[in-house]
Amino acid sequence: MKTTIQYFLLLCCCFSAVQLHAQEPKKIRIEYSGFTVKDSLLGENITTFVRSDQSQIHVVHEGIDMYCDKAIYYQNEDFIEAFSNVRMNQGDTINMTSKYVEYSGITQLAFAAGNVVLTEPQSVLTTDTLYFDRTKQEAFYNSKGKVVRDSSGTITSQVGRYYMTDSKYRFLKDVVLINPEYTLKTNQLDFYSETGFAYMYGPSTIVGEASTVYCERGFYDTNNDIGYFIKNSRINYDNRIVEGDSLYFDRNKSFASATNNITVTDTINKSIITGHYAEVFREQDSVFITKRALAITIQEKDSVFIHADTLKVTGKPEHRITRAYYNAKMYKSDMSGKADSIHADHKTGLTQLINLKRFNTGDAFSVKRKPLIWNMGNQMSGDSIHLISNVKTEQLDSLKVFDNAFLVSKDTLSEGFNQISGQKLIGLFADNELYNVDIIKNSEVIFYTRDDKDSLVGINKSKSGSINLKFDGPYKIITLINQIDGDIYPESKFPQNARKFRNFDWRGDEQPQSVEDLFKDDPPLELVNIKGLDAFVPEEEFFDTALFERIDDARKKDKDEVNKAERNIPKEAQQSRLKRDATKKAGATKQNKSADKQNGD
């Protein structure tokens, strides 16, 4: 039994020794060399290798193969310098060439300089100096670099980092992606070489022939030319600027959409559309917008506001047309209107207020509520209404009401209503105020006639072929043309049930008195919850604590004044390390003092 236990313990010790030996890092090995040179002046453990005419020097270490014309190997430090036509391969995926490489078998950090080219399956990186940490499988440069990917274009930056496991680049400072179709500029770009996905952080622009995109956080698929942008995002589409909480962009289809808090600005026609969902088709010169949609035509003296469930603006810049439908309303300081739909031609100055016939059956608004215009206390309605403006002076010119025209206004001193009805109405404006109205064919009037002292003379109820109405300040002058019948009745002799025409419909409570009134009938607004893109999360620095610990291990074996494994580490990284160490030390000291105090208590 004792012999069996001793044998088992011996086996365990042997296994442990083999395991420890297997875990020890392997040293750099020179697989092939043409010539070997030993120079006592360099040191006993320093060997120089020179290539032969047939082949380069071949160096092997932990899965990498390095080839060069000349090499100096420092045996004690397990450190090698490679010169001239240096090539380093890692499996079938990574190939790096340069003029010079130094590599530590302890830190597994390579430093390459002089025309450095790193090739991986999807891209080629060129720079002047490059650090390659084989432990983390990451490469880093801070001396300006360029990455070329066939389908995406060329990317340059001052600082760059390549994560080999994820096939990901992180470009920093003066990042520029040049593609035949566009140029992308940003402060930081995370780029995945396998998929062509690019993530932008900080102020970024994508400038193409027909569009310019700006965002402060965004995503762009460089393979399919599709983008998604958030945070102060906007797209300048020729003469339209689209802004919103989130923007979607498809370059191939010349299409963009926006969600939440949208503004579409027409820089040529001085108009703005707002809402909470929009679609823009550049080639069709079309904008579709809904959810509290509002179109604003900016004028020098008085802007025009149109609101509806849905707005659509189409046409070239020189001939834009705005369509508003489903309970459309309009407002300007001296005029407002309401209809099923509004059609505004910005070139001709014609605005049409229309009832949609297809909604006549079962639709209360269409059947009972005709298009309306309010101006200076007058309400005008009919089956359809045309407003004509002078596009140069931006002044109202005339008004036409077709079929079942009806004009009504409140009498200033009583509860009665002045009313004129007929088949058609034509009104004329001066300084945006209605001064002349003609009611044509089958005209009727109910009018409260007053004298110079505003005393009621009587109520005029008449029929005629047509009626002319002139506004002279607060007074209205009515002329009956081809009068058929009628008379002026004392108020006491005029029945209450005769004081309104059969199709009377006073809707003064519906008149928008402000821009805010345009939205008072809308249902509560519920905005889409935008998930967006995750904010940038800083990662561990390339020259991190783990790397410096490996450098410290290498220093123990390097008896020279300068540790070879860290001689090319950037000064910024060294300073950052000192700060980290100082902070860590201060924290430990504070913690120890706190512990001592508690123990003392």
Side-chain angles (χ1 to χ4, degrees), residues 350-355 370-371 380-388 398-406 422-427 438 440:
L350 173 62
T351 300
Q352 302 177 59
L353 286 77
I354 309 165
N355 264 19
K370 297 181 181 296
M380 290 156 280
S381 63
D383 289 355
S384 63
I385 300 175
H386 288 188
L387 274 172
I388 298 94
S398 57
L399 163 74
K400 296 180 181 179
V401 180
F402 298 94
D403 300 324
N404 300 307
F406 200 104
Q423 185 173 335
K424 186 177 180 180
L425 181 152
I426 298 176
D438 286 299
I440 302 170

Side-chain angles (χ1 to χ4, degrees), residues 177 182 184 186 188-202 204-206 213-231 233 235 245-251 532-534:
L177 188 159
Y182 58 88
L184 184 156
T186 183
Q188 176 179 326
L189 183 72
D190 285 3
F191 182 80
Y192 292 82
S193 58
E194 285 187 355
T195 61
F197 290 172
Y199 295 84
M200 295 162 283
Y201 300 93
S204 308
T205 59
I206 304 175
V213 177
Y214 174 87
C215 72
E216 293 176 13
R217 193 184 307 160
F219 161 80
Y220 197 76
D221 182 345
T222 60
N223 285 342
N224 298 302
D225 280 330
I226 294 172
Y228 175 67
F229 316 104
I230 61 172
K231 195 176 180 182
S233 305
I235 301 174
D245 288 355
S246 73
L247 300 176
Y248 170 83
F249 176 72
D250 189 328
R251 184 179 303 278
L533 299 170
D534 293 335

Side-chain angles (χ1 to χ4, degrees), residues 511-546:
Q511 180 182 357
Q513 302 287 349
S514 64
V515 177
E516 290 73 21
D517 279 356
L518 296 174
F519 304 96
K520 66 181 181 181
D521 298 329
D522 288 7
L525 178 65
E526 294 183 7
L527 295 181
V528 175
N529 184 20
I530 299 172
K531 180 180 180 182
L533 299 170
D534 293 335
F536 168 66
V537 178
E539 297 183 50
E540 184 71 30
E541 295 180 9
F542 180 84
F543 299 97
D544 59 4
T545 302

Side-chain angles (χ1 to χ4, degrees), residues 240-425:
R240 282 192 177 105
I241 299 174
V242 185
E243 302 170 272
D245 288 355
S246 73
L247 300 176
Y248 170 83
F249 176 72
D250 189 328
R251 184 179 303 278
N252 297 316
K253 296 180 180 179
S254 297
F255 170 80
S257 66
T259 304
N260 291 358
N261 300 306
I262 302 157
T263 301
V264 181
T265 304
D266 186 330
T267 57
I268 292 180
N269 290 283
K270 298 180 181 179
S271 63
I272 297 172
I273 311 173
T274 63
H276 295 285
Y277 179 75
E279 295 179 354
V280 182
F281 301 85
R282 187 184 63 83
E283 291 185 353
Q284 286 79 29
D285 284 292
S286 171
V287 177
F288 166 91
I289 194 163
T290 187
K291 291 189 176 181
R292 296 283 175 97
L294 179 68
I296 308 167
T297 302
I298 300 173
Q299 298 179 353
E300 186 176 349
K301 295 182 179 180
D302 191 9
S303 297
V304 180
F305 300 85
I306 297 178
H307 165 62
D309 175 80
T310 302
L311 291 173
K312 189 172 184 180
V313 181
T314 58
K316 298 291 183 183
E318 62 274 11
H319 195 176
R320 295 271 197 241
I321 293 174
T322 297
R323 296 175 175 86
Y325 42 95
Y326 308 132
N327 198 17
K329 304 172 188 176
M330 63 175 290
Y331 170 81
K332 61 195 303 284
S333 63
D334 47 23
M335 175 171 284
S336 54
K338 188 174 182 180
D340 284 342
S341 63
I342 296 175
H343 183 287
D345 188 322
H346 301 280
K347 182 179 181 179
T348 63
L350 173 62
T351 300
Q352 302 177 59
L353 286 77
I354 309 165
N355 264 19
L356 303 179
K357 291 184 178 179
R358 64 176 180 271
F359 292 128
N360 279 349
T361 303
D363 187 277
F365 179 80
S366 292
V367 172
K368 298 179 181 179
R369 304 286 164 162
K370 297 181 181 296
L372 294 174
I373 287 287
W374 290 276
N375 175 257
M376 309 305 293
N378 301 294
Q379 173 187 295
M380 290 156 280
S381 63
D383 289 355
S384 63
I385 300 175
H386 288 188
L387 274 172
I388 298 94
S389 299
N390 187 314
V391 294
K392 292 183 179 180
T393 64
E394 299 178 346
Q395 296 282 317
L396 287 170
D397 179 79
S398 57
L399 163 74
K400 296 180 181 179
V401 180
F402 298 94
D403 300 324
N404 300 307
F406 200 104
L407 185 149
V408 57
S409 64
K410 272 190 173 182
D411 179 55
T412 55
L413 300 176
S414 72
E415 296 298 320
F417 291 90
N418 298 309
Q419 304 156 59
I420 303 177
S421 69
Q423 185 173 335
K424 186 177 180 180
L425 181 152

